[in-house]
Amino acid sequence: MEKIVSLAKRRGFVYPGSDIYGGLANTWDYGPLGARLLQNIKNLWWKTFVETRRDMYPVDTGLLMNSKVWEASGHVSSFTDPLVECKICNARLRADKPEEIEEHEKSHEGQKVSWTEPKNFNMMFQTHIGTAEDSRIAAYLRPETAQGMFVNFKNVLITERPRLPFGISQIGKVFRNEITPGNFTFRTLEFEQMEIEYFVKEEDWEASFEGWKIQMWDWITKILGVDEAKLKWRAHEKDELSHYSKRTEDIEFEFPFGWGELYGLAYRGDFDLKNHSEKSGQELEYIDPETNEKYTPHVVEPTFGVSRTALVVLLSAFTEGDDGRIVLKLDPKIAPYKAAVFPLVSNKPEIVEKARNVYDVLRVSCAVAWDDRGNIGKRYASQDEIGTPWCITVDYQTLEDNTVTVRDRDTGHQIRVATGELQAHIEAKLAL
Ligand code: GAP
């Protein structure tokens, strides 16, 4: 993990938040490469689960919502973690994480550590809307994107007339006042979710749940290429289920600090729609167009953390040779740059100009880096370290026959490709 943290900062994937002021604990900023990586993950997810499907209706809802939403959803009363305090040093930890308690007790070696009784700690961040002190309204920053989709269920039904089963999806930021944030970007106070509320007939929920298990597994293993041996499904025990769920399973990844949740799949029943209907006084039912039957659909919810995905693909892609050379074997579809263009030498204007032309043509269709500093070996190493799949070099031969070398990151193998065919060559590789 230390190597990833150091590479991430050195190369501009992830910087500590508010860095020039000494940081703010457990906040992180994504740099030029990290921002591209996140965007590529979100685009690929959108293409996979929204754009190419006929049953998905995307929304983009507010971070701030009427507080009644969070009362109806149960978050005001139940979105809590059990908090205990160490009686020696007052450190606050989660009572439901025995491994973290054990780790903390080791820091007081030789002493008998006792803890306060667990207290429920609500994880929603509160803020206020309005300017006059006495009339300001309390509001919460949303702790999940899901409620934005439930409260728009009726709007989507009216505007889109979808037929069951169908999903409402969104990608967006959420905020949680975590008791023990940490492990780099694994558990942070703000993060993005890619979430789907999939509405089904009650009797179909189990089949839908099993179907989503396959689709989520395919996404992380086949589409993002993460090693299956480092992933597993784990079903929640009854006492760890969220207040809204009757069945939840997580995909866990073997992080350097142990197995931890990557994604979640929850059966939320009709909990959310029923509660919002009751508290808002609005009918949130579906009318079957064929039978005219009216009922509240049940919900299966696949949810994916964006930054956890980024952390997992970085950890999975990281390789280091005996000589200390780092190659980030990212899937080309999500690599920050698809290619890098180099002029072999920087003091020969015809070569530099030709390379600039190649760069300008390519960057219209995909993200391309430019590098004209140092020797070619160093430039290859620099691109390998950030996961650029192909390096294109314009050399003396280019001036004669209009071909360039294309070097493959993972094999080091080089071929010559005509400049006019470069775009098609890269697009074909990306489609593989
Ligand atoms: N709507 C359901 C829901 O929010 P969750 O399991 O609490 O479920 C969904 O969160 C996903 O968000 C997780 O599977 C994980 O990928 C990510 N996630 C949760 N807490 C996080 C945190 N503190 N920092 C980064 N990612 C987090």
Side-chain angles (χ1 to χ4, degrees):
M1 188 67 114
E2 272 167 29
K3 288 184 177 178
I4 288 286
V5 177
S6 136
L7 175 76
K9 174 155 194 204
R10 185 162 54 77
R11 295 306 308 269
F13 281 96
V14 186
Y15 307 128
S18 314
D19 206 9
I20 60 168
Y21 289 100
L24 172 67
N26 301 300
T27 65
W28 301 94
D29 293 335
Y30 287 80
L33 297 186
R36 285 179 192 274
L37 177 64
L38 295 182
Q39 195 58 49
N40 292 345
I41 290 169
K42 288 185 279 184
N43 288 347
L44 193 57
W45 185 88
W46 186 271
K47 188 174 162 202
T48 308
F49 293 110
V50 182
E51 218 46 60
T52 52
R53 298 177 62 121
R54 286 188 305 178
D55 58 349
M56 208 55 81
Y57 298 85
V59 293
D60 192 332
T61 70
L63 301 179
L64 294 170
M65 302 174 83
N66 190 317
S67 291
K68 287 181 185 158
V69 170
W70 304 111
E71 284 159 25
S73 69
H75 283 76
V76 170
S77 56
S78 308
F79 192 59
T80 54
D81 272 340
L83 178 151
V84 285
E85 207 169 302
C86 167
K87 287 192 178 167
I88 298 175
C89 68
N90 302 110
R92 295 174 147 208
L93 268 80
R94 274 172 64 173
D96 59 343
K97 295 272 171 202
E99 57 298 343
E100 290 173 18
I101 299 270
E102 203 178 300
E103 199 57 38
H104 183 80
E105 289 184 350
K106 280 194 208 143
S107 70
H108 296 297
E109 214 186 318
Q111 288 173 281
K112 164 116 187 60
V113 183
S114 49
W115 298 90
T116 58
E117 283 302 308
K119 266 197 306 221
N120 281 337
F121 173 78
N122 195 296
M123 291 192 289
M124 285 196 292
F125 277 108
Q126 243 192 335
T127 185
H128 293 93
I129 301 172
T131 50
E133 274 302 319
D134 52 352
S135 62
R136 293 168 81 195
I137 302 169
Y140 300 100
L141 300 181
R142 66 180 180 190
E144 62 170 4
T145 62
Q147 297 307 322
M149 300 188 261
F150 291 124
V151 301
N152 280 292
F153 175 75
K154 191 173 174 184
N155 284 334
V156 173
L157 278 190
I158 292 169
T159 56
E160 300 286 330
R161 307 207 165 276
R163 295 246 179 140
L164 278 191
F166 71 91
I168 304 184
S169 59
Q170 81 170 313
I171 299 179
K173 277 244 164 138
V174 304
F175 301 82
R176 290 183 191 176
N177 198 0
E178 296 277 3
I179 297 170
T180 50
N183 282 324
F184 191 33
T185 55
F186 176 75
R187 198 183 294 135
T188 48
L189 308 179
E190 62 174 289
F191 55 96
E192 262 179 309
Q193 294 182 325
M194 308 180 282
E195 221 165 35
I196 295 164
E197 305 310 322
Y198 202 71
F199 299 95
V200 295
K201 277 187 173 173
E202 180 176 4
E203 60 267 35
D204 293 338
W205 81 265
E206 265 173 315
S208 175
F209 196 97
E210 296 306 328
W212 276 107
K213 276 185 80 169
I214 295 169
Q215 294 174 66
M216 292 176 80
W217 193 258
D218 282 353
W219 156 258
I220 189 68
T221 59
K222 295 196 182 133
I223 300 180
L224 291 180
V226 172
D227 183 3
E228 286 198 339
K230 294 221 148 222
L231 296 162
K232 67 176 183 197
W233 279 103
R234 188 184 71 82
H236 281 208
E237 302 289 341
K238 283 249 154 12
D239 61 353
E240 60 173 324
L241 285 171
S242 304
H243 60 276
Y244 50 74
S245 178
K246 294 201 182 98
R247 177 180 169 194
T248 295
E249 293 197 26
D250 291 340
I251 293 186
E252 292 194 338
F253 178 77
E254 192 176 16
F255 290 93
F257 49 85
W259 288 92
E261 176 184 344
L262 170 59
Y263 300 142
L265 176 62
Y267 169 49
R268 296 180 78 126
D270 57 4
F271 177 89
D272 301 272
L273 288 181
K274 274 266 164 72
N275 277 329
H276 285 308
S277 178
E278 198 182 305
K279 301 281 170 9
S280 67
Q282 303 270 331
E283 259 193 15
L284 300 179
E285 288 179 319
Y286 174 80
I287 303 173
D288 189 305
E290 268 142 36
T291 61
N292 268 340
E293 195 192 347
K294 209 176 184 189
Y295 54 88
T296 308
H298 280 228
V299 171
V300 173
E301 178 196 63
T303 177
F304 309 70
V306 180
S307 47
R308 278 199 195 165
T309 308
L311 181 57
V312 163
V313 295
L314 284 174
L315 286 164
S316 303
F318 186 88
T319 64
E320 191 177 22
D322 295 338
D323 54 357
R325 191 177 168 133
I326 294 169
V327 181
L328 213 49
K329 296 193 171 176
L330 286 172
D331 187 298
K333 291 192 285 298
I334 53 165
Y337 292 115
K338 309 303 171 212
V341 177
F342 313 147
L344 180 67
V345 289
S346 54
N347 57 0
K348 185 132 176 91
E350 304 96 291
I351 288 189
V352 175
E353 196 188 329
K354 194 90 199 161
R356 273 278 167 206
N357 283 345
V358 169
Y359 171 70
D360 286 339
V361 168
L362 276 185
R363 71 193 167 82
V364 174
S365 58
C366 63
V368 194
W370 168 266
D371 194 355
D372 57 5
R373 294 161 305 173
N375 68 43
I376 285 286
K378 282 203 178 125
R379 288 187 236 168
Y380 284 152
S382 167
Q383 293 299 325
D384 286 350
E385 212 176 48
I386 60 169
T388 307
W390 301 289
C391 288
I392 297 162
T393 305
V394 173
D395 54 18
Y396 291 96
Q397 192 179 325
T398 316
L399 301 179
E400 287 164 20
D401 65 5
N402 246 337
T403 64
V404 292
T405 64
V406 178
R407 171 191 172 268
D408 184 276
R409 175 194 69 198
D410 299 337
T411 60
H413 186 62
Q414 296 189 20
I415 54 169
R416 287 205 82 89
V417 176
T419 53
E421 285 162 23
L422 264 178
Q423 194 173 331
H425 176 82
I426 290 182
E427 276 167 13
K429 291 240 172 216
L430 282 171
L432 286 179

